[in-house]
Amino acid sequence: MILIFELKKFFRQKNIIICIVLFLILNIYNIYTQSNFNDKSMNMFNTGSLEFYTTIEGYISPEKIQFISEYSKQCENDFRENQETIVENLKYYTGFAYGDMNMAQEHLNEISRLLSYASQSTEWVEEAKYNINYYDLIDNQYMKKTNKEIVNIYSGRYINEYYKTDGFCSLLNYNFSSLLIFLLIILYSSQMFVSEKESGMYELIMTTEHRNVGYVLTKLKSLILYCVFLTAMFYIVDLISFYKCYYLRGFDLPLYAVNGFEKTPLNIKIWQYILLSFFINLLGYFLISLICSYISIISKNGQSAIIIALIVFALLICLNSIEVGKIQNILDFNPLKLLQIQNLFASFKALNFFGAPIPYYFFILVINLVISFIFSWYIIKRGVK
């Protein structure tokens, strides 16, 4: 019953509900302004480009490549023979021969990049095999195992489907919604305990059957539900907004087809990575909420709790920007790193764990899970005093 009470109490907080609605609108507007769809002067260009794209997306065949190449040359000849004016010509998808020529050439360049990936990944595998032999000769077992991992990761990779990945690149590197969720979590969790202390409810609850551990555990459960609710809502809004603004297609493409993820150690599809990022972000948000909740317990009033939380996270944000050797390895345990996971999965990085190469992202996730349990324990211990 007390959990239901906590959830009802959340939905009665008009200031948080208003902030969530305003932040969702701001987030949608931000995504919309980043795309070309907000430019009225490019309506025909966007519509025409999309129409041409729908005819060539999917499996990459020699016929498609030939069609795009020939169309590009045709538009180039038309552009050279006829002096174009500012008047749009309905003969061309974008309204102009020059526009169609560049559009077709961009598609050819992107298809070429995707098709060349197989040979590029083969080069990485061959280099790793050479390194295996070398490290075997000098008896460096750790580096030998590391390069074996590289061979296992990058072997057999290829891309035989064409979908524009610029929208996915923008989506997977989009952090504005993370900032908004971050602020909403601070606003709610930093007041979780201190608000009841101010009203006198804290002392009253501690005299009931729900006192001590049960009371604090219920608070933590409501905190988890709050984080799940916010993360899921903003993720859905992000996906729908990017889908509409960037015409996202090809969720079954391998993650390494996206620019910036060519060397990712994950052999999964884009939709699987989006799901994975949801749970990792959720862990990050929960850890942040635990820190705020602990601040809420030790604070005397609501204003001081928010101020302390903002100071703590301002410091973490500053530390998050430091990239200096061994110091950086320590700072990777910063919970804010879990909100920018593209850096964790952009390339293969291993940690020497008693002679065995452990993926660095796995180590970071385990450490943050441990930190979450430690904070939960401290909150329970401090909350029942």
Side-chain angles (χ1 to χ4, degrees):
M1 290 298 293
I2 194 170
L3 178 60
I4 296 175
F5 171 76
E6 288 292 333
L7 294 176
K8 286 182 178 179
K9 189 169 67 173
F10 159 67
F11 285 105
R12 287 172 184 161
Q13 297 184 48
K14 293 182 179 180
N15 58 331
I16 293 181
I17 300 299
I18 291 172
C19 284
I20 290 175
V21 173
L22 290 177
F23 281 7
L24 283 171
I25 295 172
L26 180 61
N27 186 47
I28 295 171
Y29 176 77
N30 184 62
I31 296 172
Y32 177 74
T33 54
Q34 287 183 9
S35 69
N36 290 330
F37 282 78
N38 65 315
D39 190 347
K40 300 291 184 181
S41 64
M42 298 186 68
N43 280 345
M44 184 171 182
F45 179 87
N46 291 328
T47 304
S49 297
L50 182 59
E51 183 183 351
F52 183 80
Y53 170 62
T54 55
T55 64
I56 61 173
E57 64 180 353
Y59 178 74
I60 302 173
S61 64
E63 291 77 18
K64 282 185 181 178
I65 297 175
Q66 183 180 1
F67 164 72
I68 301 170
S69 179
E70 289 178 353
Y71 185 71
S72 176
K73 290 178 181 178
Q74 176 189 332
C75 292
E76 183 180 1
N77 292 333
D78 290 349
F79 173 71
R80 289 179 177 178
E81 292 175 1
N82 305 309
Q83 185 177 1
E84 288 190 328
T85 64
I86 60 172
V87 179
E88 294 175 338
N89 190 337
L90 296 179
K91 172 184 175 182
Y92 303 106
Y93 289 95
T94 63
F96 301 95
Y98 183 76
D100 277 25
M101 177 187 71
N102 286 334
M103 175 190 66
Q105 192 58 50
E106 286 178 6
H107 287 301
L108 283 175
N109 293 339
E110 182 64 11
I111 289 174
S112 176
R113 181 185 75 84
L114 296 177
L115 291 178
S116 65
Y117 182 83
S119 60
Q120 188 179 38
S121 60
T122 300
E123 289 178 7
W124 300 334
V125 171
E126 292 302 318
E127 181 181 356
K129 288 180 178 178
Y130 174 83
N131 291 337
I132 291 172
N133 294 328
Y134 171 73
Y135 288 117
D136 188 36
L137 288 174
I138 64 174
D139 197 28
N140 188 331
Q141 294 302 311
Y142 169 71
M143 290 304 298
K144 180 182 176 181
K145 292 177 182 177
T146 300
N147 279 274
K148 282 185 176 180
E149 283 295 315
I150 293 174
V151 171
N152 292 333
I153 289 170
Y154 297 116
S155 291
R157 288 189 171 185
Y158 66 92
I159 305 169
N160 60 2
E161 289 185 311
Y162 173 58
Y163 293 96
K164 293 183 69 175
T165 59
D166 54 336
F168 286 118
C169 185
S170 298
L171 172 63
L172 300 183
N173 288 282
Y174 185 69
N175 294 316
F176 184 67
S177 57
S178 298
L179 173 63
L180 299 179
I181 299 173
F182 172 69
L183 294 174
L184 289 169
I185 285 176
I186 291 178
L187 181 63
Y188 175 74
S189 56
S190 63
Q191 303 298 303
M192 178 162 282
F193 292 96
V194 73
S195 61
E196 292 178 351
K197 287 183 179 180
E198 289 179 323
S199 65
M201 282 292 294
Y202 182 79
E203 289 76 11
L204 180 62
I205 292 174
M206 297 305 283
T207 64
T208 68
E209 60 177 332
H210 300 292
R211 64 187 179 275
N212 299 336
V213 177
Y215 163 70
V216 181
L217 285 176
T218 302
K219 287 284 190 181
L220 293 180
K221 289 177 184 177
S222 67
L223 200 59
I224 293 173
L225 292 176
Y226 178 70
C227 292
V228 171
F229 170 71
L230 280 184
T231 308
M233 183 167 53
F234 275 87
Y235 253 72
I236 292 171
V237 169
D238 284 353
L239 276 172
I240 294 175
S241 300
F242 273 93
Y243 180 84
K244 291 293 185 181
C245 291
Y246 289 89
Y247 190 73
L248 295 183
R249 293 292 187 276
F251 283 89
D252 277 334
L253 277 177
L255 178 61
Y256 50 78
V258 180
N259 272 314
F261 289 89
E262 292 90 349
K263 288 193 172 183
T264 179
L266 302 178
N267 285 307
I268 60 177
K269 301 180 186 298
I270 292 175
W271 70 266
Q272 293 171 325
Y273 177 78
I274 292 173
L275 194 60
L276 173 66
S277 67
F278 170 82
F279 288 106
I280 295 176
N281 286 167
L282 184 58
L283 172 61
Y285 294 132
F286 181 59
L287 182 50
I288 289 169
S289 68
L290 287 175
I291 296 172
C292 290
S293 297
Y294 186 75
I295 293 172
S296 178
I297 289 179
I298 63 177
S299 299
K300 295 182 178 180
N301 56 67
Q303 288 183 340
S304 63
I306 290 181
I307 292 172
I308 294 172
L310 290 174
I311 292 173
V312 168
F313 286 107
L315 179 61
L316 288 176
I317 290 171
C318 292
L319 293 175
N320 193 39
S321 62
I322 297 177
E323 297 182 1
V324 184
K326 294 182 179 179
I327 297 178
Q328 176 61 34
N329 292 335
I330 298 174
L331 297 179
D332 278 344
F333 303 127
N334 188 333
L336 299 182
K337 293 287 184 182
L338 299 181
L339 309 185
Q340 300 173 317
I341 66 167
Q342 60 270 27
N343 297 324
L344 280 178
F345 298 110
S347 60
F348 176 71
K349 185 179 179 183
L351 181 76
N352 191 340
F353 188 73
F354 297 104
I358 303 298
Y360 197 67
Y361 65 82
F362 178 79
F363 180 70
I364 295 296
L365 293 177
V366 170
I367 291 297
N368 276 282
L369 274 172
V370 172
I371 294 174
S372 297
F373 281 113
I374 292 173
F375 262 102
S376 298
W377 179 77
Y378 266 109
I379 289 172
I380 294 171
K381 184 178 179 182
R382 187 66 186 247
V384 299
K385 284 187 177 180

